[in-house]
Amino acid sequence: MMKQSHAGNQARSAWSQYWELDGAREQRAVGGPRYRGAFEQFWRDELEAEFDARANLKVLDAACGDGAVTRQCVEIWQGHPDCALELHATDCSERALASIEALSLPVDPALVVADAKALPYAEASFDCVLSQCGLEYAGIEAFAAAASLVADGGRLMALVHHDHGLIHQECGAHHDMLSAIDESGVFKQGKALFDLQRLRDRGEVLPQVVDDAAADLGRELAGLLAGLDVYPRDGARQHAERLLQDYSMLCRRHGAYAPDQACQWLDFHQGALTAFRLRMESMMAAGQGEAELRQLEAVIDDAGLRQIETGTLRAADTGEPLAWSLSACAA
Ligand SMILES: C[S@@+](CC[C@H](N)C(=O)[O-])C[C@H]1O[C@@H](n2cnc3c(N)ncnc32)[C@H](O)[C@@H]1O
């Protein structure tokens, strides 16, 4: 059976929180700066062929995030001015769609907030239904739903999370690192420190008690920081190191901060860390194995699509798997 990740409410809100973040799109794109090129090459090859073959193209990018594939589709279309493009994009996160809207692309995509297994379109509405590491978050039904939207002569094309791929491994390492911080209790300890500081301000505990608690927490944070050495030296680790360094500073200079302000800082960063961990969990749960890929082919076949082709998108440098590729045609 295909893994039914069915990103729950928590995971969906973790994604929304992610799409709210400012930051370079290329850092956020699936595959990150290192592997993004392989993903882009796949879509370039697939979409160039579609634009070459048609005078009109109606495209849906399902679970589009902040529009990595939507944007690429527009870029490729700009090299085919004779082809009329109608572009639609959906995601469960309104924030993700808002960031596409803010781009003011030369072709305005019609944006709809929707769960990928309940896409609000009539059957056979699109020439191309695309998804980059998206449909699998909504479970196998999303592939059947996407297949039903493909018009005669049209295609479904998807890149799907691979449960042994490099991205899966990175997510696993990030998840373990974030869990180690989240579960260490340092945020709770920080709250307790600033509760003590409130008591000290009212003269109910001695300053030494607060200083001792700060020193204990400082040692915990130093231990966590040193423990990050076992994780790959990448953007997520840098992010975690910065957080722990800032937190250590807050702890050292605890007397300089108003407890309410410090607790707000702690709540914000714990919330962001938990959201990051939940997002990693949802990505790993969405990873599909060989047997699950066969299941996907069967569902797409049942939906009436033919010429079903699956393959493995691989990293150019190591040849290791990044994602599954899947394409199928409506007769
Ligand atoms: C790995 S991201 C990929 C986004 C985009 N396709 C890209 O390549 O950058 C997964 C996306 O699936 C969305 N998502 C998660 N569960 C979903 C669901 N049940 N229905 C629709 N979208 C979902 C998330 O909001 C997120 O934008």
Side-chain angles (χ1 to χ4, degrees):
M1 277 289 286
M2 179 195 175
K3 271 188 217 149
Q4 304 278 309
S5 86
H6 293 290
N9 285 343
Q10 272 193 322
R12 279 202 292 271
S13 88
W15 274 105
S16 276
Q17 204 168 330
Y18 178 63
W19 294 127
E20 263 175 52
L21 296 175
D22 288 334
R25 282 175 184 274
E26 59 274 16
Q27 295 287 335
R28 295 197 304 200
V30 171
R34 182 151 172 216
Y35 304 124
R36 198 186 68 229
F39 285 83
E40 288 181 349
Q41 187 62 50
F42 172 84
W43 293 112
R44 206 167 9 259
D45 293 345
E46 298 295 326
L47 290 172
E48 286 284 359
E50 293 298 324
F51 282 115
D52 279 345
R54 294 169 188 269
N56 303 288
L57 197 64
K58 186 174 171 188
V59 176
L60 171 66
D61 181 7
C64 60
D66 70 346
V69 177
T70 302
R71 281 176 281 125
Q72 213 190 334
C73 184
V74 172
E75 272 166 35
I76 294 168
W77 165 78
Q78 286 178 306
H80 298 77
D82 295 337
C83 181
L85 172 64
E86 182 180 331
L87 194 49
H88 296 249
T90 65
D91 197 275
C92 67
S93 160
E94 196 172 350
R95 288 296 319 166
L97 300 182
S99 73
I100 299 181
E101 197 164 30
L103 292 172
S104 304
L105 293 168
V107 172
D108 240 356
L111 304 170
V112 178
V113 176
D115 191 287
K117 64 180 174 302
L119 294 167
Y121 304 101
E123 280 188 12
S125 295
F126 294 96
D127 301 309
C128 292
V129 177
L130 321 174
S131 175
Q132 175 167 278
C133 301
L135 292 174
E136 57 272 38
Y137 287 84
I140 199 162
E141 302 95 310
F143 286 85
S148 76
L149 298 183
V150 183
D152 279 358
R155 288 175 70 205
L156 170 67
M157 292 172 255
L159 290 173
V160 178
H161 281 303
H162 190 303
D163 75 349
H164 281 89
L166 287 170
I167 292 171
H168 195 81
Q169 289 166 29
E170 281 181 6
C171 287
H174 294 167
H175 177 265
D176 293 350
M177 178 180 71
L178 299 163
S179 299
I181 301 172
D182 217 2
E183 288 160 10
S184 68
V186 286
F187 288 102
K188 208 168 149 201
Q189 229 176 312
K191 289 293 203 55
L193 169 66
F194 285 99
D195 281 345
L196 279 177
Q197 195 157 301
R198 285 190 184 98
L199 294 176
R200 185 209 58 189
D201 292 347
R202 297 204 297 265
E204 293 174 28
V205 300
L206 292 171
Q208 189 58 46
V209 175
V210 187
D211 290 344
D212 289 348
D216 284 348
L217 178 53
R219 278 190 290 276
E220 276 299 319
L221 291 168
L224 278 175
L225 197 51
L228 296 187
D229 266 354
V230 300
Y231 300 106
R233 203 175 274 283
D234 60 11
R237 179 166 144 194
Q238 275 170 16
H239 175 85
E241 282 172 349
R242 244 189 336 266
L243 171 66
L244 292 174
Q245 283 155 358
D246 290 350
Y247 192 0
S248 301
M249 168 77 87
L250 178 84
C251 185
R252 267 198 306 281
R253 305 191 57 232
H254 62 96
Y257 296 96
D260 286 352
Q261 191 192 3
C263 287
Q264 260 175 23
W265 188 92
L266 290 169
D267 284 340
F268 173 81
H269 286 286
Q270 182 171 23
L273 192 94
T274 305
F276 192 172
R277 179 172 61 76
L278 288 170
R279 194 164 54 79
M280 292 301 102
E281 251 167 44
S282 81
M283 285 175 85
M284 289 168 71
Q288 307 295 311
E290 185 92 45
E292 290 129 12
L293 194 68
R294 300 286 90 80
Q295 185 82 15
L296 275 185
E297 289 173 344
V299 163
I300 290 167
D301 184 69
D302 283 350
L305 300 198
R306 297 293 172 258
Q307 298 170 44
I308 301 170
E309 287 176 16
T310 52
T312 309
L313 186 75
R314 294 182 183 277
D317 47 0
T318 63
E320 285 181 79
L322 291 170
W324 298 111
S325 64
L326 187 157
S327 98
C329 299

